[in-house]
Amino acid sequence: MVDYKPQYYPGGSNIAANRRKYIDPNYQLRKLRTISDDDLVRLMGHRVPGEAYKSVHPPLEELGEPACPIRELVEPTPGAKAGDRIRYIQFTDSVYFAPLTPYMRAWMGHMRYRGVDIGVLSGRVPLEARERDLEKVAKELVETEIFDPARVGIRGATVHGHALRLDENGLMFDALRRFQFDKNKGEVVYVKDQVGVPLDRPIYVGKPIPEDELRRITSQFRVDGEPFRNDVELIQFVQRIHMLRTEAGFDPNKVKDI
Amino acid sequence: MAKYPDKVNLYDDRGKLFDTNVPIEALSPLKNTAIQKIISYVKQCVAVNLEGVEKALATGEVGGKWCIIRGRSLKLDLVKNAGSVADSLKKCLQVDPDDDTEVKVLKGGKHLLVKVPAKRLNAGVEYTTGTTAVAAALCCTIIENFNVNIWDADLVHAAVWGRYPQTMEMLGGNVSSLLAVPQQNEGMGYALRNIPCAHIALIAKKNAMNAAALSSILEQTAMFEMGDAIGNFERFHLLGLAYQGLNADNIVYDLVKENAKTGTLGDVVLSTVKRALSDGVIKPLKKTPSGYTLYTTSDLNKWNAYAAAGLLAGTMITCGAARSMQHAPSVFIYFNDLLERETGLPGVDFGRVAGTGVEMSFFSHSIYGGGNPAVFHGNHIVTRHSKGFTIPCVAAAVALDAGTTIYTPEKISGVVGEVLSEVPELRESLRYVNEAAVSIKGGI
């Protein structure tokens, strides 16, 4: 057996260390709040709490799968087994020290969750999966330290705001005003679901994480925080990949032992 | 004398050892007789939708949807008389009485699988001979067998050829081949890449290993035709075909098996690195101050082949667990991202698969239109950039889908995929290529 220990991410900065931590599936994300299953379902808006899952095809057992060695080997997720529709949760992460960057959501998600489809855009990151699988994943994404109620938004549409300045309460801009700051409770409260449909009752998602704590747990490099240029090891790593890709494109036989 | 020192063990689609110490050149399209046969069949085999012709004649709907010529119709029992149509068609296509022409009646006469004799193709320079010969011969056959008069013959032509030559391709026609018309190829040597994954998955009867194998054979053979797999890059492509497409050394199957029950895409990345390390393909280069180990290799082509095998296994785990094809582009980006960050070595096809994944994500998730992965192929404007390493994974993903798309592979493929699945060499390409490799390995 070879001596191999997964390392997940290079770099010598605290930011790189945070990235390593979040990507590593053995690190248990700190739980900061509890959102009930029903509230999560209401926030996503794909079905009414208690409603049966709609399906896009019959359960696999009824369907009868084609003879394929890979299908015989690979265990389908519970949602795939039942024939659930594929649904999504989408996040917007503010550039102001939100815990995750868009890319981190994909790296982390693919390392931790099975059968997920994650797409990364500058201002939004959708995660798609079979509906009952999605609900399980979404719970961890919303209840733990990677979700700051003020600087992370659950936004299915009109996601604009990730690069805009924060409001007087420290909340990220949201054109649809899905979330508000409840001054009496000191908590962020969702009054609309992820696509902006008003909720029948508000859903509290907890207090914003304090600025100094955010700066400590963030995975974002910033010139007014921990600048990317200070992490020489990471810069050299990125340059190495760029160099190797380019040299290999010219002649892969010449790239040896470097 | 073999050009390259590499030897691989061959396995079947269920991870069973087939033969050992086979030189990779025995898997080359330049030498492997089964691959050459597959390529010939792609040119020679043509699907006829006899039911479609009958319907078009009966309704006057010829040359595409909604294109109905009022007052023109012809009631001919083509499906009922498929046997005699097939016999006459065969005679019409034959060059010699005992040549390799074949016409097979399928689905109670609704479809015909036609194999045009190789001599007809050899007498021309363009692969379109297959389609044109069958379309023309079918018109002659129908006119002869059903005594169609001079005033109705034009309707038969339109029902068979569709709107061609007003359109570039046979729009609304009922004769089709896997290959598109040459004008639709995006560059030189793209013909074999212009085959949508829907066809591939259906030809392989949704066996993901065979779908990936056939797709890889077509893609990597195209690399020879495009001018990519030659000189410094020939071995790069041969290893890619062997390890990713043909399950050499059982890497793909092993990686899937290892992660089959609970594995994530990230787990497949880690398994791939572990396998490359234990096989001596990569080794530690140095430790950085943070404690991160950079890896290096003295054989980047082989590392690429291992990474490509891992990519296919990652697709099979992710799309297989969700029984959904739409996850494929996300796998292409993040398998490579995670692999690069795990090792410090370049990802599959040196970044080109990751780049392809970015574009494919956009065009397969209704962001800028496009379609589901089943419509993509190696000639497609957003998926042509990787040199043969992306499309086999897309074909496998399509094969593993349980029915999550509005436009199913069956709907996209029409009759072509279903009809050509009757050709054993296309349906179970892995087996036939392995057999041919074993039979020629002594001469390499």
Side-chain angles (χ1 to χ4, degrees), chain B residues 116-161:
Chain B
V116 176
K119 277 188 179 168
R120 283 194 180 272
L121 280 142
N122 294 342
V125 291
E126 228 185 65
Y127 60 78
T128 43
T129 302
T131 321
T132 54
V134 172
L138 185 63
C139 286
C140 293
T141 301
I142 294 172
I143 290 165
E144 286 292 314
N145 286 19
F146 294 88
N147 292 320
V148 178
N149 65 38
I150 192 169
W151 310 109
D152 287 328
D154 57 342
L155 197 66
V156 174
H157 185 281
V160 172
W161 289 75

mmCIF file of all heavy atoms in Angstrom, chain B residues 116-161:
data_model
loop_
_atom_site.group_PDB
_atom_site.id
_atom_site.type_symbol
_atom_site.label_atom_id
_atom_site.label_comp_id
_atom_site.label_asym_id
_atom_site.label_seq_id
_atom_site.Cartn_x
_atom_site.Cartn_y
_atom_site.Cartn_z
ATOM 1 N N VAL B 116 -24.794 -1.102 -46.932
ATOM 2 C CA VAL B 116 -24.420 -0.844 -48.321
ATOM 3 C C VAL B 116 -23.099 -1.564 -48.604
ATOM 4 O O VAL B 116 -22.207 -1.551 -47.757
ATOM 5 C CB VAL B 116 -24.281 0.684 -48.530
ATOM 6 C CG1 VAL B 116 -23.801 1.005 -49.926
ATOM 7 C CG2 VAL B 116 -25.598 1.364 -48.227
ATOM 8 N N PRO B 117 -22.941 -2.189 -49.762
ATOM 9 C CA PRO B 117 -21.685 -2.925 -50.014
ATOM 10 C C PRO B 117 -20.474 -1.992 -49.999
ATOM 11 O O PRO B 117 -20.544 -0.863 -50.487
ATOM 12 C CB PRO B 117 -21.904 -3.533 -51.400
ATOM 13 C CG PRO B 117 -22.968 -2.708 -52.032
ATOM 14 C CD PRO B 117 -23.846 -2.242 -50.917
ATOM 15 N N ALA B 118 -19.391 -2.522 -49.446
ATOM 16 C CA ALA B 118 -18.167 -1.714 -49.322
ATOM 17 C C ALA B 118 -17.685 -1.238 -50.684
ATOM 18 O O ALA B 118 -17.127 -0.148 -50.811
ATOM 19 C CB ALA B 118 -17.088 -2.543 -48.630
ATOM 20 N N LYS B 119 -17.947 -2.031 -51.707
ATOM 21 C CA LYS B 119 -17.486 -1.664 -53.056
ATOM 22 C C LYS B 119 -18.064 -0.328 -53.517
ATOM 23 O O LYS B 119 -17.418 0.426 -54.227
ATOM 24 C CB LYS B 119 -17.867 -2.766 -54.046
ATOM 25 C CG LYS B 119 -16.867 -3.909 -54.067
ATOM 26 C CD LYS B 119 -17.163 -4.874 -55.180
ATOM 27 C CE LYS B 119 -16.122 -5.994 -55.175
ATOM 28 N NZ LYS B 119 -16.506 -7.099 -56.038
ATOM 29 N N ARG B 120 -19.287 -0.060 -53.111
ATOM 30 C CA ARG B 120 -19.890 1.228 -53.497
ATOM 31 C C ARG B 120 -19.145 2.395 -52.841
ATOM 32 O O ARG B 120 -18.901 3.428 -53.459
ATOM 33 C CB ARG B 120 -21.365 1.282 -53.092
ATOM 34 C CG ARG B 120 -22.273 0.497 -53.994
ATOM 35 C CD ARG B 120 -23.735 0.820 -53.784
ATOM 36 N NE ARG B 120 -24.537 0.023 -54.698
ATOM 37 C CZ ARG B 120 -24.840 0.397 -55.943
ATOM 38 N NH1 ARG B 120 -24.441 1.557 -56.396
ATOM 39 N NH2 ARG B 120 -25.538 -0.398 -56.719
ATOM 40 N N LEU B 121 -18.786 2.204 -51.564
ATOM 41 C CA LEU B 121 -18.064 3.265 -50.865
ATOM 42 C C LEU B 121 -16.640 3.400 -51.403
ATOM 43 O O LEU B 121 -16.105 4.507 -51.514
ATOM 44 C CB LEU B 121 -18.036 2.973 -49.358
ATOM 45 C CG LEU B 121 -19.343 3.357 -48.674
ATOM 46 C CD1 LEU B 121 -19.721 2.353 -47.610
ATOM 47 C CD2 LEU B 121 -19.256 4.743 -48.086
ATOM 48 N N ASN B 122 -16.047 2.260 -51.740
ATOM 49 C CA ASN B 122 -14.674 2.307 -52.249
ATOM 50 C C ASN B 122 -14.574 3.006 -53.601
ATOM 51 O O ASN B 122 -13.507 3.480 -53.974
ATOM 52 C CB ASN B 122 -14.102 0.887 -52.376
ATOM 53 C CG ASN B 122 -13.956 0.231 -51.015
ATOM 54 O OD1 ASN B 122 -13.957 0.925 -49.993
ATOM 55 N ND2 ASN B 122 -13.842 -1.089 -50.983
ATOM 56 N N ALA B 123 -15.705 3.045 -54.310
ATOM 57 C CA ALA B 123 -15.688 3.672 -55.634
ATOM 58 C C ALA B 123 -15.889 5.189 -55.548
ATOM 59 O O ALA B 123 -15.973 5.864 -56.573
ATOM 60 C CB ALA B 123 -16.766 3.051 -56.508
ATOM 61 N N GLY B 124 -15.994 5.705 -54.334
ATOM 62 C CA GLY B 124 -16.165 7.149 -54.184
ATOM 63 C C GLY B 124 -15.210 7.689 -53.139
ATOM 64 O O GLY B 124 -14.438 6.938 -52.536
ATOM 65 N N VAL B 125 -15.244 9.018 -52.902
ATOM 66 C CA VAL B 125 -14.364 9.577 -51.870
ATOM 67 C C VAL B 125 -15.155 10.065 -50.658
ATOM 68 O O VAL B 125 -14.591 10.429 -49.649
ATOM 69 C CB VAL B 125 -13.523 10.748 -52.409
ATOM 70 C CG1 VAL B 125 -12.500 10.256 -53.393
ATOM 71 C CG2 VAL B 125 -14.396 11.840 -53.011
ATOM 72 N N GLU B 126 -16.478 10.082 -50.779
ATOM 73 C CA GLU B 126 -17.277 10.655 -49.700
ATOM 74 C C GLU B 126 -18.099 9.584 -48.995
ATOM 75 O O GLU B 126 -18.659 8.713 -49.655
ATOM 76 C CB GLU B 126 -18.235 11.683 -50.296
ATOM 77 C CG GLU B 126 -18.233 12.984 -49.542
ATOM 78 C CD GLU B 126 -19.281 13.910 -50.088
ATOM 79 O OE1 GLU B 126 -20.472 13.596 -49.973
ATOM 80 O OE2 GLU B 126 -18.901 14.964 -50.635
ATOM 81 N N TYR B 127 -18.204 9.722 -47.661
ATOM 82 C CA TYR B 127 -18.952 8.694 -46.927
ATOM 83 C C TYR B 127 -20.461 8.776 -47.151
ATOM 84 O O TYR B 127 -21.201 7.897 -46.749
ATOM 85 C CB TYR B 127 -18.641 8.785 -45.424
ATOM 86 C CG TYR B 127 -18.997 10.115 -44.790
ATOM 87 C CD1 TYR B 127 -20.306 10.422 -44.456
ATOM 88 C CD2 TYR B 127 -18.017 11.053 -44.507
ATOM 89 C CE1 TYR B 127 -20.636 11.631 -43.875
ATOM 90 C CE2 TYR B 127 -18.335 12.263 -43.921
ATOM 91 C CZ TYR B 127 -19.643 12.560 -43.605
ATOM 92 O OH TYR B 127 -19.969 13.757 -43.036
ATOM 93 N N THR B 128 -20.926 9.826 -47.806
ATOM 94 C CA THR B 128 -22.373 9.989 -48.019
ATOM 95 C C THR B 128 -22.956 8.933 -48.963
ATOM 96 O O THR B 128 -24.177 8.789 -49.045
ATOM 97 C CB THR B 128 -22.691 11.385 -48.593
ATOM 98 O OG1 THR B 128 -21.737 11.669 -49.596
ATOM 99 C CG2 THR B 128 -22.644 12.445 -47.531
ATOM 100 N N THR B 129 -22.077 8.199 -49.643
ATOM 101 C CA THR B 129 -22.546 7.149 -50.557
ATOM 102 C C THR B 129 -23.566 6.230 -49.886
ATOM 103 O O THR B 129 -24.551 5.830 -50.519
ATOM 104 C CB THR B 129 -21.342 6.292 -51.028
ATOM 105 O OG1 THR B 129 -20.421 7.170 -51.646
ATOM 106 C CG2 THR B 129 -21.770 5.216 -52.012
ATOM 107 N N GLY B 130 -23.319 5.901 -48.618
ATOM 108 C CA GLY B 130 -24.224 5.007 -47.897
ATOM 109 C C GLY B 130 -25.649 5.531 -47.950
ATOM 110 O O GLY B 130 -26.586 4.839 -48.372
ATOM 111 N N THR B 131 -25.836 6.766 -47.550
ATOM 112 C CA THR B 131 -27.181 7.347 -47.494
ATOM 113 C C THR B 131 -27.760 7.571 -48.888
ATOM 114 O O THR B 131 -28.923 7.243 -49.140
ATOM 115 C CB THR B 131 -27.139 8.697 -46.731
ATOM 116 O OG1 THR B 131 -26.254 8.566 -45.645
ATOM 117 C CG2 THR B 131 -28.497 9.122 -46.258
ATOM 118 N N THR B 132 -26.965 8.133 -49.773
ATOM 119 C CA THR B 132 -27.510 8.450 -51.102
ATOM 120 C C THR B 132 -27.881 7.169 -51.856
ATOM 121 O O THR B 132 -28.929 7.116 -52.502
ATOM 122 C CB THR B 132 -26.493 9.260 -51.934
ATOM 123 O OG1 THR B 132 -25.243 8.554 -51.974
ATOM 124 C CG2 THR B 132 -26.275 10.642 -51.354
ATOM 125 N N ALA B 133 -27.033 6.138 -51.732
ATOM 126 C CA ALA B 133 -27.321 4.890 -52.448
ATOM 127 C C ALA B 133 -28.619 4.271 -51.938
ATOM 128 O O ALA B 133 -29.475 3.843 -52.727
ATOM 129 C CB ALA B 133 -26.155 3.918 -52.282
ATOM 130 N N VAL B 134 -28.788 4.265 -50.611
ATOM 131 C CA VAL B 134 -29.994 3.646 -50.056
ATOM 132 C C VAL B 134 -31.236 4.466 -50.430
ATOM 133 O O VAL B 134 -32.265 3.910 -50.833
ATOM 134 C CB VAL B 134 -29.875 3.504 -48.517
ATOM 135 C CG1 VAL B 134 -31.207 3.052 -47.915
ATOM 136 C CG2 VAL B 134 -28.780 2.514 -48.165
ATOM 137 N N ALA B 135 -31.141 5.784 -50.319
ATOM 138 C CA ALA B 135 -32.311 6.621 -50.629
ATOM 139 C C ALA B 135 -32.724 6.438 -52.084
ATOM 140 O O ALA B 135 -33.909 6.240 -52.393
ATOM 141 C CB ALA B 135 -31.991 8.088 -50.326
ATOM 142 N N ALA B 136 -31.740 6.483 -52.963
ATOM 143 C CA ALA B 136 -32.063 6.359 -54.392
ATOM 144 C C ALA B 136 -32.604 4.960 -54.704
ATOM 145 O O ALA B 136 -33.590 4.805 -55.434
ATOM 146 C CB ALA B 136 -30.820 6.652 -55.223
ATOM 147 N N ALA B 137 -31.952 3.952 -54.129
ATOM 148 C CA ALA B 137 -32.386 2.574 -54.388
ATOM 149 C C ALA B 137 -33.790 2.335 -53.837
ATOM 150 O O ALA B 137 -34.592 1.620 -54.441
ATOM 151 C CB ALA B 137 -31.393 1.596 -53.765
ATOM 152 N N LEU B 138 -34.089 2.944 -52.712
ATOM 153 C CA LEU B 138 -35.420 2.775 -52.115
ATOM 154 C C LEU B 138 -36.491 3.411 -52.999
ATOM 155 O O LEU B 138 -37.576 2.839 -53.204
ATOM 156 C CB LEU B 138 -35.447 3.387 -50.695
ATOM 157 C CG LEU B 138 -36.730 3.183 -49.912
ATOM 158 C CD1 LEU B 138 -36.983 1.692 -49.646
ATOM 159 C CD2 LEU B 138 -36.679 3.929 -48.575
ATOM 160 N N CYS B 139 -36.186 4.577 -53.552
ATOM 161 C CA CYS B 139 -37.142 5.222 -54.472
ATOM 162 C C CYS B 139 -37.408 4.296 -55.654
ATOM 163 O O CYS B 139 -38.570 4.059 -56.026
ATOM 164 C CB CYS B 139 -36.575 6.547 -54.988
ATOM 165 S SG CYS B 139 -36.607 7.848 -53.773
ATOM 166 N N CYS B 140 -36.328 3.772 -56.253
ATOM 167 C CA CYS B 140 -36.482 2.881 -57.405
ATOM 168 C C CYS B 140 -37.333 1.665 -57.030
ATOM 169 O O CYS B 140 -38.246 1.272 -57.762
ATOM 170 C CB CYS B 140 -35.111 2.394 -57.884
ATOM 171 S SG CYS B 140 -34.116 3.702 -58.579
ATOM 172 N N THR B 141 -37.015 1.107 -55.856
ATOM 173 C CA THR B 141 -37.718 -0.091 -55.408
ATOM 174 C C THR B 141 -39.211 0.177 -55.229
ATOM 175 O O THR B 141 -40.054 -0.601 -55.693
ATOM 176 C CB THR B 141 -37.117 -0.561 -54.065
ATOM 177 O OG1 THR B 141 -35.746 -0.828 -54.277
ATOM 178 C CG2 THR B 141 -37.808 -1.804 -53.550
ATOM 179 N N ILE B 142 -39.554 1.246 -54.558
ATOM 180 C CA ILE B 142 -40.974 1.540 -54.304
ATOM 181 C C ILE B 142 -41.705 1.773 -55.626
ATOM 182 O O ILE B 142 -42.805 1.260 -55.863
ATOM 183 C CB ILE B 142 -41.117 2.757 -53.353
ATOM 184 C CG1 ILE B 142 -40.563 2.397 -51.963
ATOM 185 C CG2 ILE B 142 -42.566 3.216 -53.251
ATOM 186 C CD1 ILE B 142 -40.477 3.558 -50.994
ATOM 187 N N ILE B 143 -41.071 2.546 -56.497
ATOM 188 C CA ILE B 143 -41.711 2.857 -57.783
ATOM 189 C C ILE B 143 -41.942 1.575 -58.586
ATOM 190 O O ILE B 143 -43.019 1.365 -59.152
ATOM 191 C CB ILE B 143 -40.862 3.888 -58.569
ATOM 192 C CG1 ILE B 143 -40.949 5.257 -57.868
ATOM 193 C CG2 ILE B 143 -41.319 3.996 -60.027
ATOM 194 C CD1 ILE B 143 -39.914 6.253 -58.306
ATOM 195 N N GLU B 144 -40.926 0.720 -58.595
ATOM 196 C CA GLU B 144 -41.041 -0.545 -59.335
ATOM 197 C C GLU B 144 -42.070 -1.481 -58.708
ATOM 198 O O GLU B 144 -42.995 -1.946 -59.361
ATOM 199 C CB GLU B 144 -39.684 -1.272 -59.344
ATOM 200 C CG GLU B 144 -38.647 -0.658 -60.271
ATOM 201 C CD GLU B 144 -39.028 -0.813 -61.734
ATOM 202 O OE1 GLU B 144 -39.436 -1.918 -62.115
ATOM 203 O OE2 GLU B 144 -38.942 0.192 -62.482
ATOM 204 N N ASN B 145 -41.884 -1.762 -57.414
ATOM 205 C CA ASN B 145 -42.714 -2.778 -56.745
ATOM 206 C C ASN B 145 -44.182 -2.377 -56.645
ATOM 207 O O ASN B 145 -45.056 -3.233 -56.622
ATOM 208 C CB ASN B 145 -42.194 -3.049 -55.327
ATOM 209 C CG ASN B 145 -40.918 -3.854 -55.335
ATOM 210 O OD1 ASN B 145 -40.237 -3.905 -56.356
ATOM 211 N ND2 ASN B 145 -40.590 -4.483 -54.219
ATOM 212 N N PHE B 146 -44.467 -1.094 -56.579
ATOM 213 C CA PHE B 146 -45.852 -0.659 -56.377
ATOM 214 C C PHE B 146 -46.422 0.058 -57.607
ATOM 215 O O PHE B 146 -47.444 0.729 -57.518
ATOM 216 C CB PHE B 146 -45.944 0.239 -55.135
ATOM 217 C CG PHE B 146 -45.643 -0.504 -53.862
ATOM 218 C CD1 PHE B 146 -44.347 -0.617 -53.394
ATOM 219 C CD2 PHE B 146 -46.655 -1.121 -53.140
ATOM 220 C CE1 PHE B 146 -44.060 -1.315 -52.234
ATOM 221 C CE2 PHE B 146 -46.374 -1.821 -51.968
ATOM 222 C CZ PHE B 146 -45.070 -1.927 -51.517
ATOM 223 N N ASN B 147 -45.718 -0.105 -58.739
ATOM 224 C CA ASN B 147 -46.181 0.493 -59.991
ATOM 225 C C ASN B 147 -46.567 1.964 -59.852
ATOM 226 O O ASN B 147 -47.665 2.379 -60.235
ATOM 227 C CB ASN B 147 -47.385 -0.290 -60.547
ATOM 228 C CG ASN B 147 -46.972 -1.661 -61.010
ATOM 229 O OD1 ASN B 147 -45.899 -1.813 -61.601
ATOM 230 N ND2 ASN B 147 -47.780 -2.654 -60.687
ATOM 231 N N VAL B 148 -45.719 2.741 -59.256
ATOM 232 C CA VAL B 148 -46.008 4.175 -59.090
ATOM 233 C C VAL B 148 -45.796 4.856 -60.431
ATOM 234 O O VAL B 148 -44.776 4.631 -61.101
ATOM 235 C CB VAL B 148 -45.068 4.779 -58.011
ATOM 236 C CG1 VAL B 148 -45.323 6.272 -57.867
ATOM 237 C CG2 VAL B 148 -45.281 4.072 -56.673
ATOM 238 N N ASN B 149 -46.763 5.732 -60.824
ATOM 239 C CA ASN B 149 -46.648 6.349 -62.149
ATOM 240 C C ASN B 149 -45.763 7.598 -62.113
ATOM 241 O O ASN B 149 -45.365 8.074 -61.057
ATOM 242 C CB ASN B 149 -48.037 6.637 -62.731
ATOM 243 C CG ASN B 149 -48.771 7.677 -61.901
ATOM 244 O OD1 ASN B 149 -48.170 8.633 -61.420
ATOM 245 N ND2 ASN B 149 -50.060 7.474 -61.711
ATOM 246 N N ILE B 150 -45.513 8.122 -63.284
ATOM 247 C CA ILE B 150 -44.598 9.268 -63.408
ATOM 248 C C ILE B 150 -45.088 10.495 -62.623
ATOM 249 O O ILE B 150 -44.309 11.319 -62.153
ATOM 250 C CB ILE B 150 -44.405 9.604 -64.923
ATOM 251 C CG1 ILE B 150 -43.235 10.584 -65.111
ATOM 252 C CG2 ILE B 150 -45.679 10.156 -65.536
ATOM 253 C CD1 ILE B 150 -42.826 10.753 -66.573
ATOM 254 N N TRP B 151 -46.404 10.614 -62.437
ATOM 255 C CA TRP B 151 -46.969 11.788 -61.757
ATOM 256 C C TRP B 151 -46.841 11.690 -60.245
ATOM 257 O O TRP B 151 -46.932 12.700 -59.541
ATOM 258 C CB TRP B 151 -48.452 11.963 -62.150
ATOM 259 C CG TRP B 151 -48.632 11.928 -63.626
ATOM 260 C CD1 TRP B 151 -49.202 10.951 -64.367
ATOM 261 C CD2 TRP B 151 -48.162 12.913 -64.556
ATOM 262 N NE1 TRP B 151 -49.139 11.237 -65.702
ATOM 263 C CE2 TRP B 151 -48.512 12.455 -65.844
ATOM 264 C CE3 TRP B 151 -47.492 14.141 -64.433
ATOM 265 C CZ2 TRP B 151 -48.207 13.162 -66.994
ATOM 266 C CZ3 TRP B 151 -47.194 14.852 -65.582
ATOM 267 C CH2 TRP B 151 -47.548 14.367 -66.840
ATOM 268 N N ASP B 152 -46.661 10.488 -59.738
ATOM 269 C CA ASP B 152 -46.535 10.323 -58.279
ATOM 270 C C ASP B 152 -45.107 10.044 -57.822
ATOM 271 O O ASP B 152 -44.824 10.040 -56.624
ATOM 272 C CB ASP B 152 -47.438 9.167 -57.802
ATOM 273 C CG ASP B 152 -48.901 9.560 -57.829
ATOM 274 O OD1 ASP B 152 -49.177 10.753 -57.606
ATOM 275 O OD2 ASP B 152 -49.749 8.693 -58.100
ATOM 276 N N ALA B 153 -44.223 9.805 -58.785
ATOM 277 C CA ALA B 153 -42.848 9.442 -58.415
ATOM 278 C C ALA B 153 -42.164 10.540 -57.607
ATOM 279 O O ALA B 153 -41.361 10.263 -56.714
ATOM 280 C CB ALA B 153 -42.042 9.127 -59.675
ATOM 281 N N ASP B 154 -42.502 11.796 -57.904
ATOM 282 C CA ASP B 154 -41.858 12.900 -57.177
ATOM 283 C C ASP B 154 -42.223 12.880 -55.692
ATOM 284 O O ASP B 154 -41.418 13.235 -54.828
ATOM 285 C CB ASP B 154 -42.223 14.252 -57.793
ATOM 286 C CG ASP B 154 -43.729 14.485 -57.826
ATOM 287 O OD1 ASP B 154 -44.494 13.500 -57.710
ATOM 288 O OD2 ASP B 154 -44.142 15.656 -57.944
ATOM 289 N N LEU B 155 -43.454 12.408 -55.409
ATOM 290 C CA LEU B 155 -43.877 12.338 -53.995
ATOM 291 C C LEU B 155 -43.069 11.257 -53.258
ATOM 292 O O LEU B 155 -42.718 11.418 -52.088
ATOM 293 C CB LEU B 155 -45.376 12.037 -53.906
ATOM 294 C CG LEU B 155 -46.007 12.344 -52.548
ATOM 295 C CD1 LEU B 155 -45.980 13.833 -52.248
ATOM 296 C CD2 LEU B 155 -47.434 11.820 -52.471
ATOM 297 N N VAL B 156 -42.794 10.162 -53.971
ATOM 298 C CA VAL B 156 -41.967 9.102 -53.370
ATOM 299 C C VAL B 156 -40.584 9.662 -53.049
ATOM 300 O O VAL B 156 -40.033 9.459 -51.959
ATOM 301 C CB VAL B 156 -41.859 7.872 -54.320
ATOM 302 C CG1 VAL B 156 -40.881 6.851 -53.761
ATOM 303 C CG2 VAL B 156 -43.227 7.254 -54.545
ATOM 304 N N HIS B 157 -40.022 10.411 -53.999
ATOM 305 C CA HIS B 157 -38.704 11.013 -53.778
ATOM 306 C C HIS B 157 -38.715 11.903 -52.525
ATOM 307 O O HIS B 157 -37.828 11.819 -51.676
ATOM 308 C CB HIS B 157 -38.294 11.839 -55.003
ATOM 309 C CG HIS B 157 -36.906 12.396 -54.918
ATOM 310 N ND1 HIS B 157 -36.598 13.521 -54.180
ATOM 311 C CD2 HIS B 157 -35.729 11.955 -55.456
ATOM 312 C CE1 HIS B 157 -35.304 13.756 -54.272
ATOM 313 N NE2 HIS B 157 -34.750 12.823 -55.041
ATOM 314 N N ALA B 158 -39.753 12.726 -52.404
ATOM 315 C CA ALA B 158 -39.823 13.644 -51.255
ATOM 316 C C ALA B 158 -40.028 12.876 -49.944
ATOM 317 O O ALA B 158 -39.495 13.268 -48.910
ATOM 318 C CB ALA B 158 -40.944 14.652 -51.467
ATOM 319 N N ALA B 159 -40.796 11.785 -50.007
ATOM 320 C CA ALA B 159 -41.034 11.008 -48.787
ATOM 321 C C ALA B 159 -39.761 10.312 -48.315
ATOM 322 O O ALA B 159 -39.558 10.106 -47.124
ATOM 323 C CB ALA B 159 -42.138 9.976 -49.024
ATOM 324 N N VAL B 160 -38.898 9.967 -49.251
ATOM 325 C CA VAL B 160 -37.656 9.257 -48.894
ATOM 326 C C VAL B 160 -36.524 10.241 -48.600
ATOM 327 O O VAL B 160 -35.877 10.165 -47.568
ATOM 328 C CB VAL B 160 -37.249 8.290 -50.043
ATOM 329 C CG1 VAL B 160 -35.877 7.692 -49.776
ATOM 330 C CG2 VAL B 160 -38.291 7.191 -50.191
ATOM 331 N N TRP B 161 -36.291 11.188 -49.496
ATOM 332 C CA TRP B 161 -35.147 12.106 -49.378
ATOM 333 C C TRP B 161 -35.468 13.348 -48.535
ATOM 334 O O TRP B 161 -34.579 14.134 -48.222
ATOM 335 C CB TRP B 161 -34.701 12.599 -50.758
ATOM 336 C CG TRP B 161 -34.027 11.595 -51.645
ATOM 337 C CD1 TRP B 161 -34.624 10.580 -52.318
ATOM 338 C CD2 TRP B 161 -32.620 11.516 -51.965
ATOM 339 N NE1 TRP B 161 -33.685 9.867 -53.039
ATOM 340 C CE2 TRP B 161 -32.440 10.427 -52.846
ATOM 341 C CE3 TRP B 161 -31.507 12.262 -51.592
ATOM 342 C CZ2 TRP B 161 -31.199 10.066 -53.365
ATOM 343 C CZ3 TRP B 161 -30.258 11.904 -52.118
ATOM 344 C CH2 TRP B 161 -30.111 10.818 -52.981
#
